[in-house]
């Protein structure tokens, strides 16, 4: 075997925090051979990113690393920046998870691409510009000459990640570290970026170290895998072996965490709970004195019928209008069109007139960190709705209902006096669900309720939602970009693009024989990543 | 952006109109008049004076006449400085005040930025604590205390610098420092906070990951982002300097417009006070517009339309 490009030996990372020392990485060893693609997999908090941050000298100020990190035999851990800078950004480069914020918003693409070229390669401004253009061409950005003069905010997320890749390739690196580079992107864009990386690797021959929580990507992309858990490498080996014969229970658990099962359709004569007709949502203002037309139609005339016990999956990429549709149905933002709930028109009702209906129409949001007030206890959060909708309840009855709701969502009722920050992401999402079900609603709009969660936690939340649906005859509008989750949860699917429905039908029919080209592209990107990368 | 600037200027007209109107009537609400002296004048003399300056007309007529004159760039006659029109008086003082204010603003911006940056780079060190202490001091101690103390120490006791007057650059040093100090403090704190945030931001991490030299990371990527909130503060800062200069000009006996403002108010020199108010208001409005336009130039994400 040839000498490895990168060797990490017994790396430890600890952070001094006001609450004491946190051992984020507790002795990790790994190697990357020339031309090899290695994946480091783990759930959030496993320390996978911190391994690379330590290696690249990018730890936060309160972090300390010990052990050994060697690049082609040379020790680079804890080198002073000026010596480390001969390697980082030049021989080892990095792309990050957040394409929206990883580029400096105040400088043009050309400025930022040229920086590492001029600093490391000593190129003249002119030569750097020419090379920058070449690089944008290499990462297949359309109209590269114009993009050079653009600012990051003028590019889409996928384009920004392409710019980051161009920057990473600028000085012909030996190793590219990709830290969740596609997590923030839509599935179709993710597939394009991964294909680009695979192509570039075949052409340029660098090694890639891929950090991700997404096993689908690992299977399609990596030669070897390290599975990390709680700061340690739990299992490692060739990708195939790990996927076909995992040795550790944790690895098996990760592999089994893909959402499974399906939901049978409801009876055709099940009562209709919620109906939307010709829903249109427009943002912005019409043109006026010295003012441009800023109107933008996010939802372009959508009809929808939700029956008792039904789950309608609303699928689409970011900007497709799926969340806006959910809010419009609940009258949380002004919309044109009709909305009928339990046979009564609710569109256009004012706040007071809408209030009695709100009890039956609840919502759960994507971000379990932002959607719970940090200054209220769990009981206060859960009972707040009861104060409005069932003001006759005594304090004791409310507490009882809250305890019952907590038990319903699988949390210990003894946790009811704690604050949200004491809970994990999955537990917080359970609290958010408890806040909705405590009111005994008929309809819950679930807006990406599992997207911020690790796969294993996601599976538990899905099981919970299914159980609650069966026990309380709930109907769901399930909004998600994740086709695997929608397939498992919904019995009816609507595929949205640019504010309109491109295709809809029973889940099984849509997934087995998608009619629209867009639906097929979404499915290829989500389920056939391997074929997409090689084909 | 040109359209935006135009719209803002149009929007400034009603603002100025309201300021002028409010100042005009509030001034007249105050008891006393420009010709009340310790020894009361004879009634006929008083009537003559009032007639000469139009003070015998009904108030609304005086207001209309004032507005009409103002529109033509005439701020009316001063009631105290005989034989002088108000805009002539202000034209003499304005260059002094502007020079003083601009120097103080520049000093505050440069020094504040430097101190804030150093503090952020050495967060929670002695340097950082020292800067915070100075900043807190600068914000809390009013300049009617700072100015006399500076004058006492450096002019009277040490004799290094002149205590008053205008014309020589050495005479500018103390008033500019007295005027700039509170603003240095505010800007240093703003920059420190923004800089700490910028140093933790994703794009600064990118710059470090790409092996850019430390000074380039700090000066080019972190500081440019951190300076933006300080730029927005320059609008209010300019207003604070204009009002601050009233005190400083008195202490150091400078021939700026600040002292006319105070003397005018005490003497019920209606037109002089009005003139100063108009000048200050125009400055604040225009400066805020300039700041907003500068912000758009520095941050490509900001587009006005």
């Amino acid at each position: 075997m040839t000498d490895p490009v990168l060797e990490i030996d017994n790396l430890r990372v600890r952070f001094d925090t006001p609450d004491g020392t946190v051992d984020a990485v507790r002795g990790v060893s790994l190697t990357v051979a020339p031309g090899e693609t290695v994946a480091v997999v783990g759930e959030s908090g496993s320390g996978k990113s911190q391994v690379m941050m330590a290696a690249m000298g990018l730890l936060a100020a309160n972090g300390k690393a010990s052990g050994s990190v060697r690049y082609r035999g040379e020790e680079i851990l804890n080198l002073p920046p000026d010596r480390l800078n001969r390697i980082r950004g030049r021989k080892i480069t990095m792309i990050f998870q957040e394409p929206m914020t990883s580029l400096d918003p105040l400088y043009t693409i050309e400025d930022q691409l040229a920086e590492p070229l001029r600093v490391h390669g000593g190129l003249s401004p002119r030569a750097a510009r020419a090379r920058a253009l070449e690089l944008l061409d290499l990462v297949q950005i359309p109209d590269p000459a114009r993009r050079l003069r653009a600012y990051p905010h003028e590019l889409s997320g996928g384009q920004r990640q392409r710019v980051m890749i161009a920057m990473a390739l600028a000085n012909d690196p030996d190793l590219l570290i990709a830290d969740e580079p596609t997590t923030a992107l839509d599935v179709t864009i993710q597939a394009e970026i991964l294909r680009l990386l695979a192509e570039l690797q075949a052409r340029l021959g660098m090694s890639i170290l891929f950090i991700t929580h997404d096993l689908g990507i690992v299977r399609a992309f990596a030669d070897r895998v390290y599975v990390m858990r709680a700061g340690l490498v739990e299992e490692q080996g060739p990708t195939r072996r790990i996927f076909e014969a995992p040795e550790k229970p944790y690895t098996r658990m990760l592999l089994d965490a893909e959402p499974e099962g399906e939901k049978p359709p409801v009876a055709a004569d099940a009562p209709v709970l919620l109906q939307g007709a010709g829903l249109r949502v427009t943002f912005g203002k019409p043109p006026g004195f010295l003012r441009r037309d800023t109107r933008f139609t996010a939802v372009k005339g959508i009809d929808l019928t939700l029956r008792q016990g039904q789950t309608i999956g609303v699928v689409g990429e970011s900007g497709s209008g799926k969340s806006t549709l959910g809010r419009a149905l609940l009258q949380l933002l002004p919309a044109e069109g009709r909305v009928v709930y339990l046979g009564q028109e609710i569109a256009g009702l004012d706040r007071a007139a809408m209030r009695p209906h709100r009890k039956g129409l609840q919502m759960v949001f994507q971000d379990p960190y932002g959607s719970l007030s940090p200054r209220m206890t769990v009981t206060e959060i859960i009972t707040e709705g009861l104060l409005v909708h069932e003001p006759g309840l005594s304090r004791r009855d409310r507490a009882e209902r809250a305890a019952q709701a907590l038990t319903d969502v699988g949390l210990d009722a003894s946790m009811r006096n704690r604050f949200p920050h004491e809970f994990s992401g999955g537990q917080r999402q359970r609290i958010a669900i408890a806040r909705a079900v405590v009111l005994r609603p008929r309809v819950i709009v679930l807006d990406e309720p599992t997207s911020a969660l690790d796969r294993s936690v996601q599976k538990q939340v899905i099981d919970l939602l299914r159980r609650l649906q069966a026990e309380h005859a709930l109907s769901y509008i399930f909004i998600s970009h994740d086709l695997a989750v929608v397939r498992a949860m919904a019995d009816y699917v609507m595929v949205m693009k640019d504010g309109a429905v491109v295709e809809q039908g029973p889940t099984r029919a849509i997934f087995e024989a998608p009619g629209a080209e867009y639906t097929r592209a979404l499915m290829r990107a989500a389920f056939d990543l391997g074929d997409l990368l090689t084909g | 952006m040109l359209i935006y600037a135009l719209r803002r200027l149009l929007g400034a007209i009603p603002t100025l109109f309201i300021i002028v109107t409010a100042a005009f009537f509030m001034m007249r609400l105050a008891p006393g008049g420009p010709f009340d002296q310790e020894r009361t004048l004879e009634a006929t003399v008083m009537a003559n004076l009032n007639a000469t300056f139009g003070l015998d007309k009904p108030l609304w007529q005086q207001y209309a006449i004032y507005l009409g004159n103002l529109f033509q760039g005439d701020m009316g006659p001063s009631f105290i400085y005989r034989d002088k029109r108000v805009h002539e008086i202000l034209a003499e003082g304005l260059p002094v005040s502007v020079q003083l204010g601009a120097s103080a603003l520049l000093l505050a911006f440069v020094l504040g930025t430097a101190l804030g940056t150093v503090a952020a780079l050495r967060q929670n060190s002695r340097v950082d604590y020292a800067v915070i202490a100075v900043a807190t001091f600068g914000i809390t101690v009013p300049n009617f205390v700072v100015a006399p103390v500076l004058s006492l120490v450096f002019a009277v006791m040490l004799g290094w610098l002149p205590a008053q007057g205008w014309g020589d650059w050495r005479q500018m040093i103390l008033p500019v420092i007295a005027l700039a100090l509170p603003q240095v403090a505010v800007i240093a704190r703003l920059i420190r906070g923004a800089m700490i945030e910028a140093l933790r931001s994703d794009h600064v991490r990118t710059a470090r990951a790409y092996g850019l030299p430390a000074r380039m990371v700090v000066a080019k990527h972190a500081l440019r982002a951190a300076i933006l909130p300080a730029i927005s503060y320059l609008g209010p800062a300019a207003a604070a300097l204009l009002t601050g200069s009233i005190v400083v000009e008195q202490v150091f006996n400078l021939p700026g417009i600040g002292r006319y403002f105070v003397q005018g108010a005490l003497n019920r020199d209606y037109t002089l006070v009005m003139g100063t108010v108009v000048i200050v208001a125009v400055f604040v409005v225009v400066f805020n517009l300039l700041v907003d336009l500068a912000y758009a130039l520095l941050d490509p994400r900001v587009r006005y339309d």
Side-chain angles (χ1 to χ4, degrees):
Chain A
M1 194 175 145
T2 45
D3 289 339
V5 177
L6 185 75
E7 272 176 290
I8 296 180
D9 261 333
N10 196 23
L11 180 73
R12 288 165 181 280
V13 178
R14 49 175 40 180
F15 291 96
D16 288 322
T17 71
D19 301 327
T21 333
V22 175
D23 291 292
V25 179
R26 303 185 290 153
V28 163
S29 304
L30 61 84
T31 59
V32 182
E36 194 185 22
T37 304
V38 173
V40 179
V41 189
E43 300 195 288
S44 47
S46 61
K48 56 189 192 300
S49 288
Q50 294 309 330
V51 171
M52 294 309 135
M53 291 295 165
M56 295 288 275
L58 297 174
L59 283 181
N62 61 342
K64 284 202 173 47
S66 61
S68 168
V69 176
R70 289 185 297 281
Y71 164 74
R72 293 196 181 279
E74 186 190 345
E75 179 64 49
I76 59 169
L77 188 65
N78 297 330
L79 274 188
D82 55 323
R83 289 187 53 205
L84 186 58
N85 283 348
R86 284 180 307 188
I87 290 165
R88 77 176 168 183
R90 186 176 192 177
K91 294 298 172 193
I92 306 178
T93 56
M94 221 169 161
I95 55 180
F96 301 96
Q97 177 173 356
E98 306 84 4
M100 303 321 258
T101 53
S102 290
L103 292 166
D104 192 328
L106 305 180
Y107 292 94
T108 61
I109 302 302
E110 179 184 343
D111 256 334
Q112 301 187 57
L113 273 178
E115 273 181 345
L117 288 167
R118 300 190 57 191
V119 168
H120 297 300
L123 264 57
S124 69
R126 222 187 143 131
R129 186 188 152 79
R131 173 81 177 129
L133 193 63
E134 230 176 85
L135 286 165
L136 286 190
D137 211 34
L138 187 70
V139 296
Q140 297 161 20
I141 283 193
D143 200 358
R146 201 162 62 88
R147 299 283 183 249
L148 273 185
R149 291 190 303 272
Y151 288 94
H153 72 275
E154 296 168 312
L155 305 184
S156 68
Q159 286 174 335
R160 289 188 217 188
Q161 205 57 298
R162 282 171 194 267
V163 170
M164 280 303 296
I165 295 171
M167 205 159 147
L169 298 176
N171 291 301
D172 296 319
D174 285 343
L175 172 63
L176 172 64
I177 299 173
D179 187 357
E180 303 257 15
T182 58
T183 308
L185 304 173
D186 283 323
V187 277
T188 51
I189 312 293
Q190 162 169 300
E192 283 171 23
I193 295 287
L194 291 174
R195 188 162 54 194
L196 174 70
L197 278 174
E199 268 175 39
L200 290 170
Q201 186 182 27
R203 232 159 97 189
L204 307 171
M206 74 276 188
S207 315
I208 295 184
L209 204 161
F210 206 99
I211 302 168
T212 184
H213 68 282
D214 187 333
L215 291 159
I217 295 178
V218 174
R219 195 206 296 256
F221 202 72
D223 303 322
R224 275 193 310 126
V225 184
Y226 291 85
V227 180
M228 276 190 71
R229 179 195 189 185
L232 291 168
V233 172
E234 180 90 359
E235 182 168 6
Q236 59 162 306
T239 307
R240 234 183 129 145
R241 208 272 296 148
I242 295 275
F243 275 83
E244 285 170 8
E247 285 168 0
K248 294 286 168 60
Y250 180 72
T251 315
R252 270 200 293 280
M253 193 275 288
L254 281 184
L255 291 174
D256 290 343
E258 293 289 312
E260 284 166 347
E262 56 178 37
K263 184 176 179 308
V266 292
D269 58 352
V272 172
L273 290 185
L274 186 67
Q275 199 163 24
L279 281 175
R280 260 179 94 79
V281 180
T282 306
F283 296 115
K285 290 178 176 171
F289 177 60
L290 295 179
R291 192 176 61 205
R292 273 189 330 175
D293 190 353
T294 55
R295 278 176 302 181
F296 166 75
T297 306
V299 173
K300 299 172 181 163
I302 290 186
D303 304 327
L304 173 149
T305 304
L306 181 68
R307 294 176 183 277
Q308 176 145 12
Q310 193 178 30
T311 301
I312 297 182
V314 182
V315 179
E317 300 192 290
S318 47
S320 62
K322 56 188 193 300
S323 288
T324 310
L325 172 66
R327 278 156 212 231
L329 277 171
L330 296 196
Q331 302 291 305
L332 291 173
L333 43 78
E336 300 163 52
R338 300 184 55 208
V339 183
V340 176
Y341 171 59
L342 297 176
Q344 203 185 334
E345 174 79 48
I346 59 169
L349 291 186
D350 61 25
R351 284 169 70 119
M354 190 59 209
R355 195 166 295 140
H357 302 297
R358 291 247 177 256
K359 183 173 181 299
L361 297 167
Q362 289 297 308
M363 185 148 187
V364 172
F365 299 93
Q366 171 174 1
D367 179 8
Y369 293 89
S371 57
L372 301 177
S373 168
R375 285 178 188 80
M376 288 165 76
T377 66
V378 170
T379 303
E380 285 169 340
I381 289 169
I382 293 177
T383 55
E384 196 175 29
L386 289 175
L387 288 173
V388 177
H389 292 294
E390 298 180 41
L393 283 183
S394 70
R395 175 183 281 269
R396 177 182 297 188
D397 288 344
R398 277 201 306 274
E400 220 161 80
R401 287 275 290 273
Q404 179 58 40
L406 279 175
T407 322
D408 262 0
V409 298
L411 288 176
D412 194 337
S414 66
M415 295 172 165
R416 64 181 181 275
N417 290 325
R418 298 198 190 161
F419 288 91
H421 70 265
E422 299 174 69
F423 294 89
S424 69
Q427 286 173 321
R428 285 185 220 206
Q429 206 57 300
R430 285 171 192 267
I431 296 170
I433 294 169
R435 169 169 62 180
V437 297
V438 76
L439 296 171
R440 302 188 178 135
R442 311 289 298 266
V443 176
I444 303 182
V445 173
L446 301 153
D447 190 358
E448 304 261 13
T450 60
S451 301
L453 307 174
D454 282 323
R455 271 284 189 208
S456 59
V457 182
Q458 196 174 76
K459 190 179 179 181
Q460 297 163 10
V461 172
I462 289 171
D463 289 342
L464 167 67
L465 289 170
R466 278 183 180 146
R467 182 168 59 74
L468 290 173
Q469 181 165 44
E471 285 172 8
H472 302 281
L474 290 169
S475 305
Y476 292 147
I477 305 273
F478 191 92
I479 299 165
S480 181
H481 70 280
D482 188 334
L483 291 170
V485 176
V486 169
R487 180 167 62 182
M489 278 293 296
D491 54 86
Y492 191 89
V493 176
M494 301 171 82
V495 182
M496 279 185 74
K497 184 174 194 279
D498 300 330
V501 173
V502 294
E503 184 168 11
Q504 57 179 312
T507 304
R508 187 178 278 194
I510 297 279
F511 276 83
E512 278 171 6
E517 179 46 44
Y518 179 68
T519 316
R520 284 201 288 274
L522 275 184
M523 292 199 184
R524 268 200 309 279
F527 300 121
D528 307 321
L529 208 50
D531 299 347
L532 214 59
L533 294 186
T534 48
Chain B
M1 190 134 126
L2 208 68
I3 289 183
Y4 171 79
L6 208 69
R7 218 169 60 191
R8 279 281 299 270
L9 282 175
L10 286 179
I13 291 172
T15 312
L16 289 176
F17 175 77
I18 291 168
I19 292 173
V20 168
T21 308
F24 185 90
F25 289 105
M26 278 162 67
M27 197 64 208
R28 298 306 170 95
L29 274 179
F35 309 117
D36 295 343
Q37 288 167 2
E38 285 162 30
R39 204 154 52 90
T40 37
L41 294 170
E42 269 176 58
T44 46
V45 179
M46 195 71 161
N48 265 335
L49 274 171
N50 280 341
T52 318
F53 289 100
L55 290 176
D56 54 346
K57 296 194 176 75
L59 198 55
W60 65 268
Q61 234 172 35
Q62 294 181 33
Y63 172 65
I65 291 168
Y66 183 77
L67 270 191
N69 286 340
L70 189 61
F71 234 65
Q72 296 160 28
D74 181 3
M75 292 174 167
S78 166
F79 295 119
I80 303 298
Y81 301 90
R82 306 290 151 84
D83 307 328
K84 276 198 173 179
R85 311 291 291 181
V86 166
H87 53 267
E88 291 166 354
I89 298 176
L90 292 180
E92 283 170 24
L94 202 56
V96 176
S97 289
V98 167
Q99 205 182 339
L100 180 68
S103 311
L105 199 61
L106 189 70
L107 177 71
F109 190 66
V110 172
L111 197 60
T113 304
L115 286 176
T117 305
V118 170
L121 288 175
R122 304 258 179 284
Q123 198 193 345
N124 296 335
S125 70
R126 280 183 198 170
V127 182
D128 186 18
Y129 294 143
V131 170
I132 293 175
V134 169
T136 312
F137 182 79
I139 291 169
T140 46
V141 181
N143 57 14
F144 57 77
V145 175
V146 173
V149 169
L150 281 178
S151 176
L152 187 69
V153 173
F154 293 98
V156 179
M157 287 162 65
L158 297 170
W160 291 351
L161 292 164
Q164 58 150 338
W166 189 255
D168 181 9
W169 65 269
R170 283 160 43 93
Q171 288 170 322
M172 271 180 73
I173 294 177
L174 287 181
V176 166
I177 289 176
L179 198 52
L181 204 60
Q183 307 309 323
V184 171
V186 177
I187 290 173
R189 284 175 57 118
L190 271 177
I191 292 272
R192 176 184 178 271
M195 191 75 182
I196 286 171
E197 199 176 310
L199 286 171
R200 286 191 196 135
S201 69
D202 288 340
H203 68 262
V204 167
R205 180 185 62 187
T206 305
R208 287 168 62 211
Y210 278 84
L212 304 186
R215 88 191 118 70
M216 203 162 155
V217 174
V218 172
K220 191 172 168 189
H221 291 285
L223 187 57
R224 172 128 179 226
I227 228 164
L228 290 174
I231 297 278
S232 340
Y233 174 70
L234 287 183
L241 287 178
L242 277 169
T243 41
S245 76
I246 292 168
V247 173
V248 172
E249 283 176 18
Q250 291 277 318
V251 173
F252 293 99
N253 193 22
L254 308 181
I257 61 168
R259 59 173 181 174
Y260 292 122
F261 192 55
V262 178
Q263 287 166 14
L266 292 176
N267 294 333
R268 303 284 181 275
D269 191 345
Y270 297 143
T271 44
L272 187 57
V273 173
M274 287 300 298
T276 329
V277 166
V278 170
I279 292 283
V280 172
V282 167
F283 257 91
V284 170
V285 167
V286 169
F287 212 83
N288 274 313
L289 175 62
L290 288 179
V291 163
D292 285 350
L293 295 181
Y295 199 98
L297 287 178
L298 286 169
D299 188 342
R301 287 165 301 182
V302 177
R303 284 282 170 269
Y304 302 117
D305 47 27

